[in-house]
CSV table of all heavy atoms in Angstrom, one decimal:
chain,number,residue,atom,x,y,z
A,1,GLY,N,-91.4,75.0,57.0
A,1,GLY,CA,-91.1,74.9,58.4
A,1,GLY,C,-90.3,76.0,59.0
A,1,GLY,O,-89.4,75.8,59.7
A,2,HIS,N,-90.6,77.2,58.6
A,2,HIS,CA,-89.9,78.4,59.0
A,2,HIS,C,-90.5,78.8,60.4
A,2,HIS,O,-91.1,79.9,60.5
A,2,HIS,CB,-90.0,79.5,58.0
A,2,HIS,CG,-89.4,79.3,56.7
A,2,HIS,ND1,-88.1,78.7,56.6
A,2,HIS,CD2,-89.8,79.5,55.4
A,2,HIS,CE1,-87.8,78.6,55.3
A,2,HIS,NE2,-88.8,79.1,54.6
A,3,HIS,N,-90.2,78.0,61.4
A,3,HIS,CA,-90.8,78.3,62.7
A,3,HIS,C,-90.1,79.5,63.4
A,3,HIS,O,-89.0,80.0,62.9
A,3,HIS,CB,-90.6,77.1,63.6
A,3,HIS,CG,-91.2,75.8,63.0
A,3,HIS,ND1,-92.5,75.7,62.6
A,3,HIS,CD2,-90.6,74.7,62.7
A,3,HIS,CE1,-92.7,74.5,62.1
A,3,HIS,NE2,-91.5,73.9,62.1
A,4,GLY,N,-90.7,80.0,64.4
A,4,GLY,CA,-90.2,81.2,65.1
A,4,GLY,C,-90.2,81.0,66.6
A,4,GLY,O,-90.6,79.9,67.1
A,5,THR,N,-89.8,82.0,67.3
A,5,THR,CA,-89.8,82.0,68.8
A,5,THR,C,-90.3,83.4,69.3
A,5,THR,O,-90.1,84.4,68.6
A,5,THR,CB,-88.4,81.7,69.3
A,5,THR,OG1,-88.5,81.4,70.7
A,5,THR,CG2,-87.4,82.8,69.1
A,6,LEU,N,-90.8,83.3,70.5
A,6,LEU,CA,-91.3,84.6,71.2
A,6,LEU,C,-90.3,85.0,72.2
A,6,LEU,O,-89.7,84.2,72.9
A,6,LEU,CB,-92.7,84.3,71.8
A,6,LEU,CG,-93.8,84.0,70.8
A,6,LEU,CD1,-95.1,83.6,71.5
A,6,LEU,CD2,-94.1,85.1,69.8
A,7,VAL,N,-90.3,86.3,72.4
A,7,VAL,CA,-89.4,86.9,73.4
A,7,VAL,C,-90.2,87.7,74.4
A,7,VAL,O,-91.1,88.4,74.0
A,7,VAL,CB,-88.3,87.8,72.7
A,7,VAL,CG1,-87.4,88.5,73.8
A,7,VAL,CG2,-87.5,87.1,71.7
A,8,ASN,N,-89.9,87.5,75.7
A,8,ASN,CA,-90.5,88.3,76.8
A,8,ASN,C,-92.0,87.8,77.0
A,8,ASN,O,-92.8,88.6,77.5
A,8,ASN,CB,-90.5,89.8,76.6
A,8,ASN,CG,-89.2,90.3,77.3
A,8,ASN,OD1,-88.7,89.8,78.3
A,8,ASN,ND2,-88.8,91.5,76.9
A,9,THR,N,-92.3,86.6,76.5
A,9,THR,CA,-93.6,86.0,76.9
A,9,THR,C,-94.8,86.8,76.7
A,9,THR,O,-95.5,87.2,77.7
A,9,THR,CB,-93.5,85.4,78.3
A,9,THR,OG1,-92.3,84.8,78.5
A,9,THR,CG2,-94.6,84.3,78.5
A,10,PRO,N,-95.2,87.2,75.5
A,10,PRO,CA,-96.5,87.8,75.3
A,10,PRO,C,-97.6,86.8,75.7
A,10,PRO,O,-97.4,85.6,75.8
A,10,PRO,CB,-96.5,88.1,73.8
A,10,PRO,CG,-95.6,87.1,73.2
A,10,PRO,CD,-94.5,86.9,74.2
A,11,THR,N,-98.8,87.3,75.8
A,11,THR,CA,-99.9,86.5,76.3
A,11,THR,C,-100.5,85.7,75.1
A,11,THR,O,-100.9,86.3,74.1
A,11,THR,CB,-101.0,87.4,76.9
A,11,THR,OG1,-100.4,88.2,77.9
A,11,THR,CG2,-102.1,86.5,77.5
A,12,ARG,N,-100.5,84.4,75.2
A,12,ARG,CA,-101.0,83.5,74.2
A,12,ARG,C,-102.4,83.0,74.6
A,12,ARG,O,-102.9,83.2,75.7
A,12,ARG,CB,-100.1,82.3,74.0
A,12,ARG,CG,-98.7,82.7,73.6
A,12,ARG,CD,-97.9,81.6,73.0
A,12,ARG,NE,-98.3,81.2,71.7
A,12,ARG,CZ,-97.7,80.4,70.9
A,12,ARG,NH1,-96.6,79.9,71.2
A,12,ARG,NH2,-98.2,80.1,69.6
A,13,ALA,N,-103.0,82.3,73.7
A,13,ALA,CA,-104.3,81.7,73.8
A,13,ALA,C,-105.4,82.7,74.2
A,13,ALA,O,-106.3,82.6,75.0
A,13,ALA,CB,-104.3,80.6,74.9
A,14,VAL,N,-105.3,83.9,73.5
A,14,VAL,CA,-106.3,84.9,73.6
A,14,VAL,C,-107.2,84.9,72.4
A,14,VAL,O,-106.9,84.4,71.4
A,14,VAL,CB,-105.6,86.3,73.8
A,14,VAL,CG1,-104.8,86.4,75.0
A,14,VAL,CG2,-104.8,86.7,72.6
A,15,CYS,N,-108.4,85.5,72.6
A,15,CYS,CA,-109.4,85.5,71.6
A,15,CYS,C,-108.9,86.1,70.3
A,15,CYS,O,-108.4,87.2,70.3
A,15,CYS,CB,-110.7,86.2,72.1
A,15,CYS,SG,-111.5,85.4,73.5
A,16,GLY,N,-109.1,85.4,69.2
A,16,GLY,CA,-108.7,85.9,67.9
A,16,GLY,C,-109.9,86.4,67.1
A,16,GLY,O,-111.0,86.5,67.6
A,17,ALA,N,-109.6,86.7,65.8
A,17,ALA,CA,-110.7,87.1,65.0
A,17,ALA,C,-111.8,86.1,64.7
A,17,ALA,O,-112.9,86.4,64.3
A,17,ALA,CB,-110.1,87.6,63.6
A,18,ARG,N,-111.4,84.8,65.0
A,18,ARG,CA,-112.4,83.8,64.7
A,18,ARG,C,-113.2,83.4,65.9
A,18,ARG,O,-113.9,82.4,65.9
A,18,ARG,CB,-111.7,82.5,64.2
A,18,ARG,CG,-111.0,82.8,62.8
A,18,ARG,CD,-110.1,81.6,62.4
A,18,ARG,NE,-108.9,81.6,63.2
A,18,ARG,CZ,-108.0,80.6,63.1
A,18,ARG,NH1,-108.2,79.6,62.3
A,18,ARG,NH2,-106.9,80.7,63.8
A,19,TRP,N,-113.0,84.1,67.0
A,19,TRP,CA,-113.7,83.7,68.3
A,19,TRP,C,-115.2,84.0,68.1
A,19,TRP,O,-115.6,85.0,67.7
A,19,TRP,CB,-113.2,84.5,69.4
A,19,TRP,CG,-113.8,84.1,70.8
A,19,TRP,CD1,-113.6,82.9,71.4
A,19,TRP,CD2,-114.5,84.9,71.7
A,19,TRP,NE1,-114.3,82.9,72.6
A,19,TRP,CE2,-114.9,84.1,72.8
A,19,TRP,CE3,-115.0,86.3,71.6
A,19,TRP,CZ2,-115.6,84.6,73.9
A,19,TRP,CZ3,-115.7,86.7,72.7
A,19,TRP,CH2,-116.0,85.9,73.8
A,20,THR,N,-116.0,83.0,68.5
A,20,THR,CA,-117.5,83.1,68.3
A,20,THR,C,-118.2,83.5,69.5
A,20,THR,O,-119.4,83.8,69.5
A,20,THR,CB,-118.1,81.7,67.8
A,20,THR,OG1,-117.9,80.8,68.9
A,20,THR,CG2,-117.4,81.2,66.6
A,21,GLY,N,-117.5,83.4,70.7
A,21,GLY,CA,-118.2,83.7,71.9
A,21,GLY,C,-118.9,82.5,72.5
A,21,GLY,O,-119.5,82.6,73.6
A,22,GLN,N,-118.9,81.4,71.8
A,22,GLN,CA,-119.6,80.2,72.3
A,22,GLN,C,-118.7,79.2,73.1
A,22,GLN,O,-119.2,78.3,73.7
A,22,GLN,CB,-120.2,79.5,71.1
A,22,GLN,CG,-121.3,80.3,70.3
A,22,GLN,CD,-121.8,79.6,69.1
A,22,GLN,OE1,-121.2,78.7,68.5
A,22,GLN,NE2,-123.0,80.0,68.7
A,23,GLU,N,-117.4,79.4,73.0
A,23,GLU,CA,-116.5,78.5,73.7
A,23,GLU,C,-115.5,79.4,74.5
A,23,GLU,O,-114.9,80.3,74.0
A,23,GLU,CB,-115.7,77.7,72.7
A,23,GLU,CG,-114.8,76.7,73.4
A,23,GLU,CD,-115.4,75.9,74.5
A,23,GLU,OE1,-116.3,75.0,74.1
A,23,GLU,OE2,-115.1,76.0,75.7
A,24,HIS,N,-115.5,79.1,75.8
A,24,HIS,CA,-114.7,79.9,76.7
A,24,HIS,C,-113.5,79.2,77.3
A,24,HIS,O,-112.9,79.7,78.2
A,24,HIS,CB,-115.6,80.4,77.9
A,24,HIS,CG,-116.7,81.3,77.4
A,24,HIS,ND1,-116.6,82.6,77.2
A,24,HIS,CD2,-118.0,81.0,77.1
A,24,HIS,CE1,-117.7,83.1,76.8
A,24,HIS,NE2,-118.6,82.2,76.7
A,25,CYS,N,-113.1,78.1,76.7
A,25,CYS,CA,-111.9,77.4,77.0
A,25,CYS,C,-111.0,77.2,75.8
A,25,CYS,O,-111.5,76.6,74.8
A,25,CYS,CB,-112.2,76.1,77.7
A,25,CYS,SG,-110.7,75.1,78.1
A,26,PHE,N,-109.9,77.8,75.8
A,26,PHE,CA,-109.0,77.7,74.6
A,26,PHE,C,-108.7,76.3,74.2
A,26,PHE,O,-108.4,76.0,73.0
A,26,PHE,CB,-107.8,78.6,74.8
A,26,PHE,CG,-106.7,78.0,75.7
A,26,PHE,CD1,-105.7,77.2,75.2
A,26,PHE,CD2,-106.7,78.2,77.0
A,26,PHE,CE1,-104.7,76.6,76.0
A,26,PHE,CE2,-105.8,77.7,77.9
A,26,PHE,CZ,-104.8,76.9,77.4
A,27,ARG,N,-108.6,75.4,75.2
A,27,ARG,CA,-108.2,74.0,74.9
A,27,ARG,C,-109.3,73.3,74.1
A,27,ARG,O,-109.1,72.4,73.3
A,27,ARG,CB,-108.0,73.2,76.2
A,27,ARG,CG,-106.7,73.7,76.9
A,27,ARG,CD,-106.4,72.9,78.1
A,27,ARG,NE,-107.4,73.2,79.2
A,27,ARG,CZ,-108.4,72.4,79.6
A,27,ARG,NH1,-108.5,71.2,79.0
A,27,ARG,NH2,-109.2,72.7,80.6
A,28,HIS,N,-110.6,73.8,74.2
A,28,HIS,CA,-111.7,73.1,73.5
A,28,HIS,C,-111.8,73.6,72.1
A,28,HIS,O,-112.3,72.9,71.2
A,28,HIS,CB,-113.0,73.4,74.2
A,28,HIS,CG,-113.0,72.8,75.6
A,28,HIS,ND1,-113.9,73.1,76.6
A,28,HIS,CD2,-112.2,71.8,76.2
A,28,HIS,CE1,-113.7,72.5,77.7
A,28,HIS,NE2,-112.7,71.7,77.5
A,29,ALA,N,-111.3,74.8,71.8
A,29,ALA,CA,-111.4,75.4,70.4
A,29,ALA,C,-110.2,76.3,70.2
A,29,ALA,O,-110.3,77.5,70.1
A,29,ALA,CB,-112.7,76.3,70.3
A,30,PRO,N,-109.0,75.7,70.1
A,30,PRO,CA,-107.8,76.5,69.9
A,30,PRO,C,-107.8,77.4,68.8
A,30,PRO,O,-107.2,78.5,68.8
A,30,PRO,CB,-106.7,75.4,69.8
A,30,PRO,CG,-107.4,74.2,69.4
A,30,PRO,CD,-108.8,74.2,70.0
A,31,GLY,N,-108.5,77.1,67.7
A,31,GLY,CA,-108.5,78.0,66.5
A,31,GLY,C,-109.2,79.3,66.8
A,31,GLY,O,-108.9,80.3,66.2
A,32,GLN,N,-110.1,79.3,67.8
A,32,GLN,CA,-110.8,80.6,68.1
A,32,GLN,C,-109.9,81.4,69.1
A,32,GLN,O,-110.2,82.6,69.3
A,32,GLN,CB,-112.1,80.3,68.8
A,32,GLN,CG,-113.1,79.6,67.9
A,32,GLN,CD,-114.5,79.5,68.6
A,32,GLN,OE1,-114.9,80.3,69.4
A,32,GLN,NE2,-115.2,78.4,68.3
A,33,TYR,N,-108.8,80.8,69.6
A,33,TYR,CA,-107.9,81.5,70.5
A,33,TYR,C,-106.5,81.6,69.9
A,33,TYR,O,-105.5,81.6,70.6
A,33,TYR,CB,-107.9,80.8,71.8
A,33,TYR,CG,-109.1,80.9,72.6
A,33,TYR,CD1,-110.2,80.1,72.4
A,33,TYR,CD2,-109.3,81.9,73.6
A,33,TYR,CE1,-111.4,80.2,73.1
A,33,TYR,CE2,-110.5,82.0,74.3
A,33,TYR,CZ,-111.5,81.2,74.1
A,33,TYR,OH,-112.7,81.3,74.8
A,34,GLY,N,-106.5,81.8,68.6
A,34,GLY,CA,-105.2,81.8,67.8
A,34,GLY,C,-104.5,83.2,67.7
A,34,GLY,O,-103.8,83.4,66.7
A,35,ALA,N,-104.7,84.0,68.7
A,35,ALA,CA,-104.0,85.3,68.6
A,35,ALA,C,-103.0,85.4,69.7
A,35,ALA,O,-103.1,84.6,70.7
A,35,ALA,CB,-105.0,86.5,68.8
A,36,ILE,N,-102.1,86.3,69.6
A,36,ILE,CA,-101.1,86.6,70.6
A,36,ILE,C,-101.2,88.1,70.9
A,36,ILE,O,-101.2,88.9,70.0
A,36,ILE,CB,-99.6,86.3,70.1
A,36,ILE,CG1,-99.5,84.8,69.8
A,36,ILE,CG2,-98.6,86.7,71.2
A,36,ILE,CD1,-98.1,84.4,69.3
A,37,HIS,N,-101.2,88.4,72.2
A,37,HIS,CA,-101.3,89.8,72.7
A,37,HIS,C,-100.0,90.2,73.1
A,37,HIS,O,-99.4,89.7,74.1
A,37,HIS,CB,-102.3,89.9,73.9
A,37,HIS,CG,-102.8,91.2,74.1
A,37,HIS,ND1,-104.1,91.5,74.6
A,37,HIS,CD2,-102.3,92.5,73.9
A,37,HIS,CE1,-104.3,92.8,74.7
A,37,HIS,NE2,-103.2,93.4,74.3
A,38,PHE,N,-99.4,91.2,72.4
A,38,PHE,CA,-98.1,91.8,72.7
A,38,PHE,C,-98.3,93.1,73.5
A,38,PHE,O,-99.3,93.8,73.3
A,38,PHE,CB,-97.4,92.1,71.4
A,38,PHE,CG,-97.1,90.9,70.6
A,38,PHE,CD1,-98.0,90.5,69.6
A,38,PHE,CD2,-95.9,90.2,70.7
A,38,PHE,CE1,-97.7,89.3,68.9
A,38,PHE,CE2,-95.6,89.1,70.0
A,38,PHE,CZ,-96.5,88.7,69.0
A,39,HIS,N,-97.4,93.4,74.4
A,39,HIS,CA,-97.4,94.6,75.2
A,39,HIS,C,-96.0,95.2,75.3
A,39,HIS,O,-95.0,94.4,75.4
A,39,HIS,CB,-97.9,94.3,76.7
A,39,HIS,CG,-99.2,93.6,76.8
A,39,HIS,ND1,-99.3,92.2,76.8
A,39,HIS,CD2,-100.4,94.1,76.8
A,39,HIS,CE1,-100.5,91.9,76.9
A,39,HIS,NE2,-101.3,93.0,76.9
A,40,ASP,N,-95.9,96.5,75.4
A,40,ASP,CA,-94.5,97.1,75.4
A,40,ASP,C,-93.9,97.1,76.8
A,40,ASP,O,-92.8,97.5,77.0
A,40,ASP,CB,-94.5,98.5,74.9
A,40,ASP,CG,-95.5,99.5,75.6
A,40,ASP,OD1,-95.9,99.1,76.7
A,40,ASP,OD2,-95.7,100.6,75.0
A,41,ASP,N,-94.6,96.5,77.8
A,41,ASP,CA,-94.0,96.3,79.1
A,41,ASP,C,-93.9,94.9,79.6
A,41,ASP,O,-93.6,94.6,80.7
A,41,ASP,CB,-94.8,97.1,80.2
A,41,ASP,CG,-96.2,96.7,80.4
A,41,ASP,OD1,-96.8,96.0,79.5
A,41,ASP,OD2,-96.8,97.0,81.5
């Protein structure tokens, strides 16, 4: 249970490596949207 926290709110629920293109709602297939997009601004 070594949980963590995010700072400055990067974008969550974005397409990850497992995204198939067949589901376009992250709530229906959260595993396909398991990436976080970080930005320096």
